[in-house]
């Protein structure tokens, strides 16, 4: 990670590739967080009163500003994470498209609509709408410091809330710049505020009695601590945690495309991707040919901080020890390194590592590695591939390559994950209309899409009596009226249904 120095007042954001200080940022304590939340409550009331069209216009103008500052944002991401500039540009583009979709679709999805009341309540007009929660606290990650939190920030704002954003201490500058862009376009009230700091800053947001929901991205271990803090005030939470995602390769798959996608899924961003490919299960018939293509492509990759590098350094220094431990454990238990090995860990970089014949109980198979390593496994058929892919406590995403559409769809449905892409890697992340989130240790709740908008709103049901009719909810109810109702219910619901 990029934090190297800190004191009680400020901390330094460091470039993980060079060790140079990118910027100094304040450590904002509980009092500062409370003040930000108070400002957010005032901003939320103003923002809600603006209405759908005005919020849409302002968010689209923020999108335009972010687009015009795309290269500035990407360069900052490059400096704070070490990832290649083009990858940072792609990440920012994806954030822009999600902000655009949330702004354009919020009213259609969350606005008032009539609901059919049914025969028993035919005299009622029923309206369902989704109201803002108030203040949403977003605790963001360092690996995708604008794309991932934007999946909460954009949707929460589009739903009518104000946001207090705590970026990772490794990428604070990204959060600061984002808030500056918002403030320039929406100067009236701070609908998005960024508070910088370490773990205590995030804890202050989670434990605030005036925050109405928390959107957290990070490890399952940290998510449990955040949940405990939220529990004190019954603050609801959406959690996007880690993954141990699998790629399944069928016998009739396009093996060149499969190898290319699996390699990108495993190695891009130095493997520091929650939805990255960490395990590959290949049907026996295609195993040798696929492995040959994969290893050939993997040997051409080189980490570095220059423009020609395939990926950058490991952003968080402590992760290097985990990556090295996983590689050594796999080899000690009989696995083979067909590309790289334990010597591939050259701080702050890790060169590509491809492991085969790794036992299922190895930490490289069971635990999230979060590095540019991958295990490749031979299976007899798709059923075994799905069974082994699901043999994990995680359940975030997955990838399937197959030339058989029906078999691929069947496997995708059976894969225990929140998202699955067929014949491409993580295509769902680029589709703003699709929900994003996991099951099990990978978290709960959803960002993105209609589900993501509803995640940051409360459903409100309203009925209005249109005309008077037989009233059954009164002490003046008669036996004759009840008999009429029972007869009607029996006529409507009492019949037998046949196959």
């Amino acid at each position: 990670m990029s934090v190297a120095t800190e004191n009680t007042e400020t901390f330094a954001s460091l470039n993980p590739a060079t060790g140079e200080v990118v910027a100094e940022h304040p450590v904002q304590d509980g009092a500062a967080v409370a003040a930000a939340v108070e400002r957010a409550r005032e901003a939320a009331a103003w923002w809600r009163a603006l209405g759908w069209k005005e919020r849409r216009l302002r968010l689209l103008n923020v999108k335009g500003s972010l687009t015009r500052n795309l290269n500035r944002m990407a360069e900052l991401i490059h400096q704070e994470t070490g990832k290649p500039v083009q990858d940072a540009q792609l990440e920012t583009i994806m954030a822009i498209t999600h902000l655009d979709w949330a702004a354009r679709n919020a009213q259609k999805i969350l606005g008032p609509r009539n609901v059919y009341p049914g025969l028993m309540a035919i005299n009622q007009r029923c309206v369902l709408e989704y109201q803002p929660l108030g203040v949403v606290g977003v605790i963001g990650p360092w690996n995708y410091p604008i794309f991932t939190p934007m999946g909460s920030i954009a949707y929460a704002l589009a739903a009518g809330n104000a946001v207090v954003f705590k970026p990772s201490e490794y990428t604070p500058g990204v959060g600061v710049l984002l808030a500056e862009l918002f403030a320039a376009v929406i100067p009236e009230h701070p609908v998005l505020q960024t508070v910088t700091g370490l773990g205590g800053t995030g804890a202050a947001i989670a434990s605030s009695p005036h925050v109405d929901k928390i959107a957290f991205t990070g490890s399952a271990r940290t998510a449990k601590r955040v949940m405990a803090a939220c529990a004190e005030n019954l603050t609801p939470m959406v959690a996007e945690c880690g993954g141990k995602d699998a790629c399944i390769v069928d016998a009739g798959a396009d093996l060149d495309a499969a190898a290319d996608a699996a390699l990108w899924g495993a190695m891009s961003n130095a493997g520091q991707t929650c939805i990255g490919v960490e395990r590959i299960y290949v049907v026996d018939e295609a195993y040798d040919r696929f492995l040959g293509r994969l290893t050939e492509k993997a040997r051409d990759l080189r980490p570095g901080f220059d423009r020609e590098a395939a990926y950058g350094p490991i952003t968080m220094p402590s992760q290097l020890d985990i990556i090295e431990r996983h590689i050594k454990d796999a080899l000690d238990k009989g696995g083979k390194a067909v590309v790289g090995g334990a010597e591939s860990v050259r701080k702050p970089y890790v060169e590509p590592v491809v492991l085969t014949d790794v036992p299922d109980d190895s930490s490289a198979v069971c635990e999230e590695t979060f590095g540019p390593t991958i295990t490749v496994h031979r299976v007899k058929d798709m059923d075994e591939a799905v069974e082994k892919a699901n043999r994990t406590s995680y359940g975030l995403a997955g990838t399937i390559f197959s030339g058989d559409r029906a078999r691929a769809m069947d496997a995708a449905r059976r894969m225990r994950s929140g998202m699955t892409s067929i014949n491409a890697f993580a295509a769902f992340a680029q589709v703003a209309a699709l929900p994003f989130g996991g099951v099990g240790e990978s978290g709960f709740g959803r960002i993105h899409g209609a589900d993501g908008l509803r995640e940051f709103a409360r459903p409100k049901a309203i009925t209005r009596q249109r005309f008077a009719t037989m009233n059954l909810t009164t002490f003046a109810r008669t036996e004759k009226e009840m008999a009429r109702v029972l007869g009607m219910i029996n006529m409507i619901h009492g019949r037998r249904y046949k196959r």
Side-chain angles (χ1 to χ4, degrees), residues 160-304:
N161 306 282
V163 173
V164 177
F165 174 36
K166 193 274 179 187
S168 166
E169 55 266 40
Y170 299 99
T171 54
V174 173
V176 170
L177 176 56
L178 187 62
E180 289 175 357
L181 296 177
F182 267 87
V185 175
I186 310 173
E188 299 96 329
H189 287 272
V191 295
L192 171 65
Q193 297 174 78
T194 291
V195 291
T196 58
L198 310 178
T201 305
I205 296 175
S207 60
S208 170
H210 303 299
V211 170
D212 299 289
K213 189 160 192 173
I214 292 292
F216 169 82
T217 304
S219 70
R221 183 180 67 256
T222 304
K224 292 172 184 177
R225 295 202 296 267
V226 174
M227 284 183 70
C230 289
E232 292 296 318
N233 299 298
L234 288 180
T235 304
M237 173 181 170
V238 53
E240 196 264 280
C241 305
K244 192 69 180 176
D245 290 356
C247 172
I248 295 174
V249 182
D250 198 3
D254 180 335
L255 299 184
D256 282 321
D260 185 73
L263 192 65
W264 173 264
M267 307 295 175
S268 62
N269 203 32
Q272 300 167 119
T273 305
C274 294
I275 55 172
V277 175
E278 296 210 0
R279 301 170 293 149
I280 306 178
Y281 296 98
V282 189
V283 171
D284 180 71
E285 182 182 330
Y287 179 86
D288 291 329
R289 288 177 292 137
F290 172 83
L291 184 61
R293 288 167 169 80
L294 181 71
T295 56
E296 181 182 0
K297 293 174 183 291
R299 290 190 183 102
D300 291 336
L301 299 184
R302 178 182 60 81

